[in-house]
């Protein structure tokens, strides 16, 4: 019979990844603690290691989920923006800012150097899906692969900057507008794209 007060999960790996996404967004990869995650999920500190070989494998699973959710958010924003390529790319940029604002996780975590040594195929595939979406949208605006990649770099930096400054309270302290961060990032992206 299970001990009283112990929480038992039907799918502990999914619960760890879901709660881990929130924790990772709060503390970043360097501050991520498996013990803290286990405490939040209500399991022993040894339980996560039964499903993930080590801390980095767990982080890779969390980053994979973040990348998949980010790719879906980018696709939905681009689709909802209509047929204009510049508007689609600007909307995806705003969606990126919104995702980072909401989750505290972006390409900085998906492509963190600490996880590259794992050669995790799922994480690599999920990261490529994000980049394929962004580069595909940029190629609709800038046909040169080098120009498209440069534009993606600039737009990701813009969106991530907006999200980070907003999360840190810099943009919310004395707002000059009531617009949310994704809207402001979209507008800035339009200016950068030249839409």
């Amino acid at each position: 019979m299970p001990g009283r007060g112990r929480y038992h999960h039907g799918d502990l790996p999914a619960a760890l990844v879901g709660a881990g996404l929130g924790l990772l967004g709060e503390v970043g990869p360097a501050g991520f603690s498996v013990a803290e995650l286990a405490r939040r999920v209500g399991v022993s500190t040894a339980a996560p290691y039964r499903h993930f070989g080590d801390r980095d494998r767990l982080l890779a699973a969390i980053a994979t989920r973040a990348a998949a959710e980010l790719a879906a958010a980018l696709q939905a924003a681009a689709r909802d923006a209509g047929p204009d390529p510049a508007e689609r790319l600007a909307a995806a940029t705003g969606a990126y800012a919104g995702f980072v604002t909401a989750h505290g996780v972006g390409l900085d975590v998906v492509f963190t150097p600490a996880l590259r040594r794992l050669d995790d195929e799922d994480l690599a595939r999920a990261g490529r899906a994000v980049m394929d979406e962004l580069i595909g949208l940029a190629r609709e605006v800038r046909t040169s692969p080098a120009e498209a990649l440069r534009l993606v770099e600039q737009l990701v930096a813009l969106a991530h900057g907006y999200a980070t400054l907003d999360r840190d309270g810099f943009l919310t302290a004395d707002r000059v507008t009531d617009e949310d961060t994704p809207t402001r990032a979209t507008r800035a992206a339009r200016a950068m794209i030249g839409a």
Side-chain angles (χ1 to χ4, degrees):
M1 177 177 221
R4 286 186 65 167
R6 300 293 301 166
Y7 185 75
H8 295 275
H9 294 277
D11 188 355
L12 182 56
L16 290 166
V17 169
L21 185 56
L23 178 60
L24 185 60
E26 292 172 27
V27 300
F32 184 83
S33 163
V34 176
E36 173 59 19
L37 177 59
R39 186 191 67 73
R40 289 183 181 197
V41 174
V43 297
S44 74
T45 56
Y49 296 107
R50 291 187 196 112
H51 301 280
F52 303 96
D54 58 28
R55 174 186 177 274
D56 287 348
R57 293 281 173 201
L58 177 53
L59 274 174
I62 295 165
T64 299
R65 176 165 169 190
E69 290 182 12
L70 176 56
L74 298 174
Q75 291 166 358
R79 180 186 61 244
D80 294 347
D84 181 75
E87 281 300 314
R88 291 165 45 80
L89 181 56
T93 302
Y96 181 93
F99 188 87
V100 175
T101 299
H103 300 287
V105 174
L107 293 180
D108 58 326
V109 171
V110 173
F111 293 108
T112 186
L115 298 179
R116 284 189 195 142
R117 67 170 180 77
L118 297 177
D119 291 325
D120 186 285
E121 289 181 25
D122 292 335
L123 179 55
R125 189 179 310 96
R128 273 194 308 275
V130 172
M131 292 308 296
D132 287 349
E133 183 67 23
L134 289 169
I135 291 171
L137 291 166
R139 289 291 306 269
E140 293 177 13
V141 176
R142 305 276 194 280
T143 55
S144 159
E147 287 180 21
L149 189 56
R150 197 167 22 257
L151 182 58
V152 166
E153 174 189 296
Q154 293 166 345
L155 293 173
V156 166
L158 176 145
H160 205 95
Y162 263 95
T164 302
L165 291 171
D166 193 15
R167 283 183 58 117
D168 291 345
F170 181 79
L171 295 178
T172 55
D174 294 315
R175 261 192 193 188
V176 295
T177 176
D178 288 333
E179 291 177 325
D180 62 11
T181 298
T183 301
R184 291 156 63 201
T186 300
R187 186 178 53 249
R190 281 188 196 111
M192 185 175 285
I193 295 165

